[in-house]
Amino acid sequence: MAGVLDSVNQRTQLVGQNRLELLLFRLRGRQMYGINVFKVKEVLQCPKLSSIPNSRSMVRGVAHIRGETIPIIDLAMSIGLPAITPDALATSFVIITEYNRRTQGFLVAGVDRIVNMNWEDMLPPPKGAGNDVYLTAVTHIDDKLVEIIDVEKILAEVSPLSDDVSTDIQTRSRERASGHLPVLVVDDSSVARRQIQRCLTAIGMEVITRDDGKQALDYLKEITADGSKARDHLSLIISDVEMPEMDGYTLVTRCKNDPALRDTFIMLHTSLSGVFNTAMVQKVGADEFMAKFSADELAEKVMEIIDRG
């Protein structure tokens, strides 16, 4: 237990400082990729895999790990690269992760090391890369390009989550008072932004989106430049945590330290899960936390927040 608490304390020290830890890994060749350590439960040699009939081709099978049956996804195949060959499985690794309340393993060719980074050094993908790239950010480590994969986009393709709000909740939303101020949604994943926007639109909310914390903070300063408060313009802010240039924790800290922004309700809405979130949310002063993604839960929570003023 002491070890777990020490780990919590060490990682929460990064909160509000716009820092993260990246696990670096390879898929094909020398190109390096990264994943936030907060999402990693375990890294192990590729275990024996059992096939799943009629599964997507990038799902290489399931593994039985510590009492759980976990799907193993070939990360290279998921982003359009050649699959790891059967002969190479024995020397490959599986990164066990927790995203969107689900556990899955990502099959990778090799694991390198963990590095401590500043989110300011994580940049959005080049604009010329197009809308269909599987990246949320890029950075440089030891003069080499490291690509951060949009895991939410991959999971949405492998095992889609419904972003439809139930008929009952939509009916209740129409019975509420109209004329609510817009909701600002901040998320670097285009898939996540679309999911949240579709959910909130279904309950009659206008949605404004920004791709990262820096863009959101710039927008908030712009709308309050006339001396008004952010709450005069927005019902609430829903922000992801992991974002290039400025993460969600830092966005909350900056907002809560600004008199024009501090009264605005901020909910962190993230695929990160595990034991660290409560300590982190309390430290930065967020008003609410919700794990991604349940359209009904999100819709009900937003209506509750708005109705209680």
Side-chain angles (χ1 to χ4, degrees), residues 26-28 44-51 57-63 72-77 82-95 105-111:
R26 290 177 289 103
L27 297 178
R28 300 281 297 188
L44 64 160
Q45 289 280 158
C46 182
K48 180 180 178 180
L49 302 181
S50 302
S51 62
S57 59
M58 64 276 290
V59 180
R60 300 293 293 267
V62 296
I72 307 300
I73 299 168
D74 189 320
L75 203 49
M77 283 188 72
I84 291 177
T85 64
D87 292 341
L89 286 178
T91 58
S92 299
F93 290 82
V94 169
I95 303 173
F106 292 117
L107 183 65
V108 302
V111 175

Side-chain angles (χ1 to χ4, degrees), residues 59-120:
V59 180
R60 300 293 293 267
V62 296
H64 301 283
I65 301 169
R66 310 199 191 289
E68 283 189 88
T69 301
I70 298 174
I72 307 300
I73 299 168
D74 189 320
L75 203 49
M77 283 188 72
S78 300
I79 63 172
L81 297 175
I84 291 177
T85 64
D87 292 341
L89 286 178
T91 58
S92 299
F93 290 82
V94 169
I95 303 173
I96 306 297
T97 65
E98 222 176 326
Y99 278 85
N100 297 348
R101 314 183 194 195
R102 296 184 294 185
T103 300
Q104 54 279 307
F106 292 117
L107 183 65
V108 302
V111 175
D112 189 71
R113 67 191 193 276
I114 292 174
V115 294
N116 190 301
M117 297 285 298
N118 193 314
W119 275 111
E120 291 177 357

Side-chain angles (χ1 to χ4, degrees), residues 200-218:
L200 299 186
T201 301
I203 59 171
M205 299 302 302
E206 180 185 347
V207 178
I208 298 166
T209 63
R210 291 296 183 270
D211 296 356
D212 58 56
K214 183 178 182 300
Q215 286 187 18
L217 191 61
D218 288 345

Side-chain angles (χ1 to χ4, degrees), residues 99-101 267-274 277 289-294 297-298:
Y99 278 85
N100 297 348
R101 314 183 194 195
M267 178 167 71
L268 290 174
H269 185 240
T270 173
S271 56
L272 289 172
S273 49
N277 282 320
F289 165 82
M290 179 175 284
K292 292 178 180 176
F293 175 77
S294 165
E297 284 186 19
L298 180 60

